[in-house]
Amino acid sequence: MGKERQNSISIPVDSSVSYPTEIGNWIDNKECKAVSGDFFSKLSPATGEVLLQVARSGKTDVKAAVESAKRAQIDWAQATPVSRGDVLRAASMILRERADELAKIVALETGKSVKDALGEVGAAVEMGFFVAGEGRRFYGKTTTSAVPNKAAFIVRQPLGVAGLIIAANTPIANVAWKVFPALLCGNAAVLKSSEDTPLTAWMCAKIFCEAGVPAGVLNVVHGFGEEAGAPLVDHPDVALISFTGSTEVGRLIQKIAGARLAKVCLELGGKNPLIVCDDADLDKAVEAAVMSACSNAGQRCAAGTRLIVFDAVYETFKEKLLTRVRALKVGCRDSDDYGPVINEEQLENMVAAVKKARAAGAKLLTGGKRMVGPAHVQGYFIEPTVLEDSDPLSEISRTELFGPICCLYRAKNFEEAVASANASPYGLTAAIHTKNIDRAMTFLGKIQSGVAVVNGPTYGSEPHLPFGGLKDSGTGWREAGSEALDVYSDWKTLYINFDPSKA
Ligand code: NAD
């Protein structure tokens, strides 16, 4: 499939991109329709128009993909990690060669600027190169035994079929973070793309095939969570579910996959704090806060949405923040600061959440509405939004909104600020702005998060460093870094008894 006729649309930058009018699943290195023959429409977040039709898959399609993966995994696991890494390096190189085209696809599907999308493609490429190199390390351990003439060591072994389910916020990076390590470790994978960004996953599948990934080793199934995601979670031949998405869906997945004793890696939401101390460089803190809250339209698990500011600098920080926020440019061009949110439902939920927060006593300082000017009315754009005086225990303080919305909180001193930062169901990332080394080090020790930053934004990760969170932000696994190999492999302990008298 992949309808011959191509769409060509001018994305809101000075360039155009071609893509098919219909896309199917990718199973056994072939494109195929959903067995039901059904499709769903993928809309442009920037304009609301229908971009393409996407295979609407269900249980039968997932079953076919898992069977293909199960067959292919046996030979793939026999290849050395180095040769698997070689194939993945080749895929990274194609991603890099086609970065401009891929960035336009990401921009088209998400509404973010091509500049931001290009950064995201770059991150995916770097992840590929890093993971390919892991094929030449793939370290195990050697150790001693209490028993004479007995050697002991541990090596990694694949799990089998990996079920990968991803969110839409950074679509190509989300594919890369899961597919590269899953395949390096000798698994075959079935990726359930996000229904909001299927085209990026479809293009990646074709690129991995072109790079030499054998048939069945990477399969991509499109569709909605309950229809195409749930059967993957429930499939007895899927040894691992690696999921990136909301805490609510993560809980459900843990319950279902956990009941059949599958390995479950959950990378979930955040409500990340950024503390501004009285000795902070306020201009830098404002910049970090605005970027943490609003870049990528706030659609980051690592977005900084709770700004906890010392009383002594609260009013000054607030004025500077509001000046900067009001100057933000919202649109899809490279010169804009952020674009639309991914779909209309998300937008409406956010506007409703702000309304509810106000009714509960929060004060709206700026924003809070859907943008309805001529440049925005067709798309899913929301004003950058800042609130204050919301109760730390209220819904808006404890719920992730996944949009450019943040709340200001006051703190009397350092202890109160750290306690307030930790008073959250989530524990993904956190930042502090201070010039005081004692405060910085104490914060790094006390903050309950998987990632902690001094004098920077709450987001930003590198391929060679682990990423993940505590509490409701995850289940303790780390993606990226060598630590990702722990998600996608199991240890095998080996003993060899030998007899020196026979040497
Ligand atoms: P979501 O949970 O609604 O959906 C994520 C994926 O799960 C989609 O592919 C969806 O189709 C699928 N899904 C939904 N219901 C399912 C079910 N019953 N069974 C199986 N699959 C199902 O999340 P979203 O709104 O697409 O993404 C935003 C969320 O992702 C935010 O909470 C954000 O913080 C989180 N996120 C986390 C990280 C991280 O690394 N911690 C990174 C990016 C995004």
Side-chain angles (χ1 to χ4, degrees), residues 247-258:
T247 298
E248 187 190 353
V249 175
R251 268 188 221 288
L252 192 70
I253 288 178
Q254 176 77 60
K255 211 164 139 189
I256 294 165

Side-chain angles (χ1 to χ4, degrees), residues 166-167 169 192 195 225 229 243-246 249 267-269 301 400 402:
I166 53 173
N169 59 332
K192 209 295 276 171
E195 54 270 44
F243 170 80
T244 296
S246 63
V249 175
E267 296 293 343
L268 308 175
C301 53
E400 184 191 46
F402 224 51

Side-chain angles (χ1 to χ4, degrees), residues 25 34-36 56-64 221-223 227-228 231:
N25 294 325
V35 170
S36 65
R56 182 170 176 173
S57 314
K59 194 171 178 173
T60 321
D61 306 291
V62 170
K63 189 166 173 269
V221 176
H222 307 293
E227 295 172 2

